Amino acid sequence: MTQDWGKRTKLVHQGARRSQYGEVAEAIYLTQGFVYPSAEAAEARFVETGADEFIYARYGNPTVAVFEERIAALEGTEDAFATASGMAAVSGALSAMLRAGDHVVSARALFGSCLYILEEILARYGVEITLVDGTDLDQWRAAVRPGTKAVFLETVSNPTLEVIDLKSVAEIAHGVGAQVVVDNVFATPVFSRATELGADVIIYSATKHIDGQGRALGGVICGTREFIRNTVEPYMKHTGGALSPFNAWIMLNGLTTIDLRVRAQAASAQAIAEALQGDPRLARVIYPGLPDHPQHAIAKTQMGGFGTVLSLDLKSGKEAAFRLLNALNVAVISNNLGDARTIVTHPATTTHQRLPEDQKIALGITPGLIRMSVGLEDVADLIADIRAGLDMI
Ligand SMILES: *Cc1c(COP(=O)(O)O)cnc(C)c1O
């Protein structure tokens, strides 16, 4: 009905439903259950749940449904299922589609918990996992086979910001009938072109840019109506990873401004990367928007922008990295990303601490690496803050 709206219009209006009071802002339906007008009506609803009919908040809720409709319209998928966190979305999507004996090929550079789900949990249930270097298409070609049920990747990896050629990986995967599942957090719903490039299932941690203000956990799985309603929904409704109506309302408010926020944050990230490039204390400034980024050309064609995160690799290692982090006055030390506040992390000692030393090196997580999620502050203040910090090393 509203298919030809632009993204920003969808972000403000898509899926809105008003109660008899005609409220302007979305209502929070903070209710676990729903009253049926009669026993017959209850029976009928359990036989078939119609549009805008609900049974129990673990299955669905009016506020959550508005969020699902809005994000699906934004991503260009037929449907979406909202979850309690990004990890509930990743584990839900994969567990719902896979069974013992299936084979999955995944990029090696993954968010730690995603790697845990593949290597520790799914492997325990008889799913075979092959890890590849996501930027090497020959490795994807060599790894897929007729029994490959899914390929899994982060379109831009954390924290070294490698960009994977999604269109080519999708062609390789579809050649053997495998589904393409992407964890699209770093691309953001604003810059994502995952649907047109061939992704079948697109997952977001809503905790990041969708909330955008560091308040609530949430996640979402986007895909075809058949996949969402017949594969994901039965799994999620019986295992209990539903998004709360209150958090759905927070995410809806986040979506209203996400286009403005992410574009402003990406512009600042680009400006910071350019300002710091060539600094003698830095071995590398990693940002997909810099022409010297190894996958700059791919990033340019497959994303509407280069993202809100950059990484800095300090020549003098951990000690220098800690000095810089401790000297910053505007940016805060934390491990979230996509927040309105600029957030800095030392991956080697925090988010990726668990990894063995050789794997850290293989993934480019050096002792001097700092990940910076750029916020909404004045970019001149951020650059001055980082420059003053570098002078303290
Ligand atoms: C944060 C994050 C997740 C997990 O999301 P939560 O909401 O914290 O559960 C998964 N993948 C990526 C790439 C992330 O950045």
Side-chain angles (χ1 to χ4, degrees), residues 212-226:
Q213 284 140 94
R215 301 165 295 197
L217 291 175
V220 67
I221 306 164
C222 303
T224 61
R225 177 143 305 131
E226 154 70 22

Side-chain angles (χ1 to χ4, degrees), residues 278-302:
D279 186 290
R281 291 152 297 193
L282 298 171
R284 282 186 305 165
V285 176
I286 310 170
Y287 183 63
L290 291 176
D292 73 350
H293 185 283
Q295 294 94 33
H296 176 66
I298 295 167
K300 221 164 146 177
T301 57
Q302 80 173 20

Side-chain angles (χ1 to χ4, degrees), residues 8 197 341:
R8 286 212 196 155
L197 295 171
R341 300 154 195 87

